Amino acid sequence: MAVAPVGPGVPPPAAGPGVGPGPAEGADVLFVALSAGFTSLSHPLLYVKLLVQVGHEPLPPTLGRNLLGRKVLYLPGFFTYARHIVRVDGKKGLFRGLTPRIISSTLSTVSRGRVKKAFPLEEMEHVSNKDDVKTSLRKVVKETSHEMMMQCVSRIISHPLHVISMRCMVQFVGREVKYGGVLSSIGTILKEEGFWGFFVGLIPHILGDVVFLWCCNLLAHFINTYAVDDNFNQASVIRSYTKFVMGIAVSMLTYPFLLVGDLMAVNNCGLRAGLPPYTPVFSSWIHCWRHLSAQGQLFRGSSLLFRRASPSATFLFD
């Protein structure tokens, strides 16, 4: 039997038809599957959040007390809102718009992986505690730029399905059936709004992603560099959690970008949730931002547990 030559100049033999995917491909498939599973489990939460973002309040506020014992009005929290959806649409109603959202999540995950392979992290310089301030800052800027590129590419590719998912979900407000399957929704958007209809709300989402990445990474870097003493026993542990904590804090500051992007995705698309009296027809995302800012509603939907009714806000109760 002949033995295939093996050497530095000889390419490995081609895989036969019975050879399965390698470890890297298997890991990618597993990661996509886990991402789809998490998307499915978290969908009811995102569904309720979107309905709150568009200002749909099907239940009146209830009287309660704050930590100081004062009487205040509270809007229904996530669990009360979810029970209302189940009463109207059944348990399956909590997963309205799930299919395009899973596809959007999958496209985002796959595209990030492709960009990461095209620009492998092995070629990036990672920050080390032995670096001086100037060198470490240069490395943070380089790494953040790499993350920003991956995030922007994945956001652009996945945004059309994100728009479809948003519109499927807000049909709960007006009980419409305009946006059904993924293919029919694509046809509807192309017919009524053209190609650019798939990218409404994209700019505030990208801006929010960019601001989040730079603020989170730079703040974590400066805290680890100047606030955490190397002589402290748990310095390495603290540094490992700094970026996570900064991510939570910065996500609250960049939430208005997420809100404006989601509202623009459903604005003036022929659905009740995107038309007056629920919302004005916005000429741009900046117009939407200014409108929400004037009403003090830039953080509407950021909390789904303890939702205190704002005196300045106007809600439409069914």
Side-chain angles (χ1 to χ4, degrees), residues 152-170:
C152 289
V153 170
S154 66
R155 175 69 73 178
I156 292 171
I157 292 176
S158 63
H159 193 74
L161 273 300
H162 174 78
V163 171
I164 294 175
S165 178
M166 296 292 103
R167 295 184 180 185
C168 288
M169 286 189 274
V170 298

Side-chain angles (χ1 to χ4, degrees), residues 94-164:
L94 288 173
F95 298 93
R96 182 195 294 261
L98 175 60
T99 300
R101 185 161 174 258
I102 288 179
I103 298 175
S104 175
S105 175
T106 302
L107 289 174
S108 176
T109 302
V110 172
S111 60
R112 285 181 66 90
R114 298 297 184 187
V115 174
K116 194 172 183 179
K117 288 181 180 179
F119 303 93
L121 290 174
E122 287 76 7
E123 298 177 6
M124 304 291 294
E125 297 179 273
H126 295 281
V127 178
S128 171
N129 293 335
K130 299 179 180 179
D131 295 331
D132 56 48
V133 175
K134 186 175 181 180
T135 302
S136 62
L137 180 59
R138 177 180 60 81
K139 290 182 179 180
V140 169
V141 170
K142 193 172 183 179
E143 289 181 5
T144 305
S145 300
H146 183 263
E147 291 181 38
M148 181 181 68
M149 176 182 61
M150 288 195 301
Q151 182 60 30
C152 289
V153 170
S154 66
R155 175 69 73 178
I156 292 171
I157 292 176
S158 63
H159 193 74
L161 273 300
H162 174 78
V163 171
I164 294 175

Side-chain angles (χ1 to χ4, degrees), residues 263-264 266-285 287-288 291:
L263 291 183
M264 290 303 298
V266 301
N267 189 250
N268 197 26
C269 65
L271 300 177
R272 185 183 176 192
L275 295 170
Y278 272 91
T279 178
V281 175
F282 300 117
S283 58
S284 67
W285 71 270
H287 179 200
C288 178
H291 172 77

Side-chain angles (χ1 to χ4, degrees), residues 44 47-48 51 58-59 78-96 172 175:
Y47 183 20
V48 171
L51 295 179
L59 302 172
F78 165 73
F79 296 103
T80 304
Y81 209 127
R83 284 195 295 268
H84 171 74
I85 295 175
V86 171
R87 283 196 298 268
V88 176
D89 282 345
K91 292 182 179 180
K92 290 184 179 180
L94 288 173
F95 298 93
R96 182 195 294 261
F172 177 83
R175 314 305 300 161

Side-chain angles (χ1 to χ4, degrees), residues 194-212:
F195 175 76
W196 295 112
F198 293 109
F199 297 96
V200 288
L202 176 62
I203 293 178
H205 272 299
I206 287 184
L207 288 176
D209 292 340
V210 171
V211 172
F212 173 84

